[in-house]
Amino acid sequence: MPLVYNNILYFKFDNLMQHQPAITHFISTRIGLDEDENFSIGLNGFLPDAVVLKNRETLARIFGFKPDDFVFAEQVHGNRVEVIKPSLKGKGAFSKSDALQHSDAWITNHSNICLVAQAADCVPILFYDPVNRAIGAAHAGWKGTVKRIAENVVKAMSREYRTKPSDLLVGIGPSAGPCCYEVGHDVVSLVNDEFPKKYELLIPYPNRENPVFDLWRANAYVLMEVGVSKKNIEFAGMCTICNNYMLFSARCGDRGRFGGAIMIKGF
């Protein structure tokens, strides 16, 4: 997953980069213009709205689209997938009040709509079907992961766009990692109920009271269970807690948000 500095710091996935310029995508970081360490894209009160909107404008300019091409959601830690039509373009782009309210994943096959999953320990996941020119983005915290939001995205894309899971390319973005994401007994119980023990998603550490939940492999297993090829799944492999100097982490006390975004480019 290449790290790029071009006025701001961001990441790209190798598997998705192979399909430029048909699509554009990025994982933003907390490092913005003039080495600003609080380059947040979330309208959550951490920064003045005007500053956040300027940050979003910067991202749009760098990646060659307009700020009103963005689609943002409130993100409710569920597993609902919303189909994004052109009439929804611009939702949440300039105001929290008109952001999508009830979904944590979004799919479209329309050009010039930039889907964004905001994160600060949860996993942003990006999807691309190069055969049917369709994309998806998902926000998967522990709740969404246990509720199999990644599976729901694949099924929704199959239903709406005739996507074959084996054609999908997926990027699993930075999040609290298997080194650090300690979870309590309630989460442990739900993980054990939902996932086979053989997946070994709960990792004990001698110096930790509770096990660590591997969000990355959990989402990968969910994807493979519904037919996504292992070779088509790329991991960012970056823990937001370990790399808090570069990425926002709620566990570290941050209120800022970075994002995973993907868009089909118009021709």
Side-chain angles (χ1 to χ4, degrees):
M1 183 179 181
L3 177 65
V4 181
Y5 185 78
N6 178 16
N7 295 316
I8 64 169
L9 192 68
Y10 60 88
F11 295 95
K12 282 182 168 285
F13 289 104
D14 283 310
N15 61 353
L16 298 178
M17 284 180 66
Q18 307 308 311
H19 293 272
Q20 295 177 171
I23 60 169
T24 190
H25 80 284
F26 59 85
I27 303 287
S28 69
T29 71
R30 67 184 302 162
I31 309 301
L33 297 173
D34 301 317
E35 298 185 359
D36 170 27
E37 295 180 357
N38 285 308
F39 187 78
S40 176
I41 62 169
L43 290 171
N44 61 357
F46 168 60
L47 297 177
D49 286 2
V51 174
V52 173
L53 295 181
K54 188 69 175 176
N55 291 344
R56 293 180 178 186
E57 181 183 341
T58 296
L59 285 169
R61 183 178 70 253
I62 288 172
F63 292 100
F65 58 92
K66 299 178 296 183
D68 56 3
D69 292 335
F70 278 124
V71 172
F72 281 87
E74 276 294 276
Q75 301 182 180
V76 294
H77 295 277
N79 65 352
R80 180 169 176 258
V81 181
E82 192 158 358
V83 179
I84 305 302
K85 305 289 189 182
S87 60
L88 295 176
K89 186 165 79 166
K91 285 291 185 181
F94 302 105
S95 171
K96 185 176 180 179
S97 64
D98 73 339
L100 302 175
Q101 295 294 310
H102 306 294
S103 52
D104 284 85
W106 315 275
I107 60 172
T108 192
N109 64 346
H110 294 279
S111 300
N112 301 321
I113 295 177
C114 187
L115 308 178
V116 187
Q118 300 178 78
D121 282 340
C122 298
V123 190
I125 308 176
L126 304 181
F127 302 77
Y128 179 49
D129 171 1
V131 176
N132 296 290
R133 290 192 79 235
I135 57 173
H139 158 257
W142 73 260
K143 290 182 180 179
T145 299
V146 170
K147 294 177 182 177
R148 295 175 175 265
I149 191 169
E151 173 183 332
N152 288 0
V153 172
V154 175
K155 289 182 175 178
M157 293 183 73
S158 297
R159 181 179 65 249
E160 296 290 331
Y161 312 127
R162 299 183 180 179
T163 294
K164 292 181 179 179
S166 58
D167 290 331
L168 272 174
L169 304 175
V170 182
I172 295 178
S175 77
C179 44
C180 296
Y181 192 45
E182 189 173 348
V183 293
H185 298 299
D186 54 339
V187 179
V188 168
S189 178
L190 290 169
V191 172
N192 283 331
D193 287 344
E194 187 59 42
F195 295 100
K197 293 280 197 305
K198 66 181 181 180
Y199 287 174
E200 298 181 339
L201 298 174
L202 295 165
I203 306 166
Y205 285 91
N207 61 334
R208 295 183 183 273
E209 180 180 350
N210 298 310
V212 168
F213 181 26
D214 189 338
L215 289 170
W216 304 339
R217 286 196 302 123
N219 282 288
Y221 280 129
V222 166
L223 290 164
M224 288 187 286
E225 284 177 355
V226 291
V228 178
S229 174
K230 182 178 181 179
K231 66 180 176 61
N232 288 348
I233 301 171
E234 183 177 346
F235 296 92
M238 290 201 62
C239 173
T240 48
I241 298 171
C242 291
N243 296 282
N244 184 229
Y245 66 95
M246 190 186 307
L247 297 155
F248 292 111
S249 166
R251 287 275 176 110
C252 294
D254 295 325
R255 293 180 59 214
R257 297 291 183 267
F258 68 93
I262 188 166
M263 183 177 78
I264 301 168
K265 296 298 290 288
F267 295 107

